[in-house]
Amino acid sequence: MATIGLIGAGHIGSQVARLAVANGYDVVISNSRGPETLSALVGELGARARAGTVLEAAKAGDIVVVTIPLKNYRQVPVEPLAGKVVIDTNNYYPQRDGHIPELDRESTTTSELLQAHLPESRVVKAFNHIYAADLTTHGQPAGSKNRRALVIAGDDPAAKETVTHLLDQFGFDTVDAGPLKEGWRIQRDTPGYGPRRTAEELRRDLAAARRYADR
Ligand SMILES: NC(=O)c1ccc[n+]([C@@H]2O[C@H](COP(=O)([O-])OP(=O)(O)OC[C@H]3O[C@@H](n4cnc5c(N)ncnc54)[C@H](OP(=O)(O)O)[C@@H]3O)[C@@H](O)[C@H]2O)c1
């Protein structure tokens, strides 16, 4: 079974780690303060989990999840993530992240920024529009009626397949929004951002999303 590396072990990172362990993955979790600050979470996660430095999590992960405040994305190590599927959960909140002019102009998207920082990685946007607490409570087995769906976006079809499989294991259907540049359709302030949605509902939400400039 594969190892999932986590860069960021906060609300979302810890929840993805719980889902990963519950589905038989090994996890290596990391944060900005160092592995010794993650002993409580590692204790809770059990034998499949260990804490490491950011570099160790990046190296160990077959799939690596970047789940940190967007303002820090340039601190993500580049070389150990080359060739890997990198899941990007990040959102842009100017009050937290400071203003990023190209996002304010809507000339790019959050995940395209991470992809530009990690040119050899295969970035897939996922988990950005579900509240952390819902990750471990809203999942259902495949085929369940009204199963919740989550959006992905990415430029690499095989990487998207990998993430679709992971989401299915975690209890969610997937709706593919298309390439990374379409990721804005599920950013903050769009209809699909936050609420529980089936795949059909989420497709409608993506189609109804509007750029800030067009509102
Ligand atoms: N919370 C949600 O419900 C939710 C839902 C969807 C998406 N998101 C998005 O997902 C991202 C993470 O959100 P969150 O709520 O999980 O944040 P959070 O609870 O504040 O946790 C952030 C984590 O990132 C770590 N971190 C910060 N800078 C780092 C760096 N340079 N290198 C390694 N680790 C670093 C922090 O470590 P330290 O604690 O050691 O500083 C912490 O473990 C954000 O972009 C957020 O907008 C959040």
Side-chain angles (χ1 to χ4, degrees):
M1 187 56 101
T3 296
I4 299 189
L6 286 134
I7 299 178
H11 292 97
I12 290 284
S14 62
Q15 285 288 75
V16 172
R18 289 183 184 103
L19 286 172
V21 163
N23 284 282
Y25 290 91
D26 291 328
V27 301
V28 180
I29 56 176
S30 68
N31 64 6
S32 75
R33 286 165 297 151
E36 64 286 354
T37 65
L38 290 165
S39 52
L41 181 57
V42 168
E44 178 207 319
L45 291 169
R48 287 197 177 280
R50 68 182 169 90
T53 63
V54 170
L55 212 51
E56 284 165 348
K59 281 184 184 157
D62 300 298
I63 299 172
V64 175
V65 184
V66 174
T67 183
I68 63 178
L70 181 68
K71 64 179 173 196
N72 292 345
Y73 81 90
R74 285 194 187 84
Q75 294 165 16
V76 172
V78 177
E79 192 277 327
L81 297 179
K84 292 187 183 179
V85 175
V86 172
I87 297 179
D88 175 27
T89 81
N90 298 330
N91 291 305
Y92 175 42
Y93 283 95
Q95 61 273 38
R96 178 192 66 193
D97 298 316
H99 279 278
I100 300 176
E102 54 270 52
L103 291 178
D104 291 339
R105 279 197 307 273
E106 301 188 280
S107 62
T108 190
T109 58
T110 53
S111 297
E112 285 176 292
L113 288 179
L114 184 66
Q115 180 68 78
H117 174 67
L118 303 172
E120 303 297 323
S121 303
R122 300 181 291 147
V123 172
V124 178
K125 183 181 191 68
F127 299 121
N128 81 296
H129 65 99
I130 178 169
Y131 295 113
D134 296 342
L135 274 169
T136 48
T137 54
H138 282 193
Q140 292 172 289
S144 300
K145 196 165 183 291
N146 295 325
R147 194 187 199 205
R148 185 168 181 172
L150 298 178
V151 170
I152 61 167
D155 297 340
D156 183 302
K160 288 203 279 196
E161 260 178 51
T162 299
V163 176
T164 298
H165 177 63
L166 188 70
L167 289 177
D168 187 47
Q169 289 181 309
F170 286 3
F172 300 96
D173 286 343
T174 297
V175 171
D176 184 354
L180 289 177
K181 68 173 195 269
E182 291 297 315
W184 67 270
R185 290 182 179 277
I186 196 64
Q187 71 190 4
R188 162 192 114 240
D189 300 330
T190 58
Y193 188 78
R196 190 188 197 293
R197 296 284 200 245
T198 63
E200 193 185 333
E201 292 165 339
L202 210 40
R203 278 187 206 103
R204 279 202 293 269
D205 288 342
L206 291 177
R210 293 289 170 265
R211 294 284 199 181
Y212 285 109
D214 297 334
R215 292 179 194 187

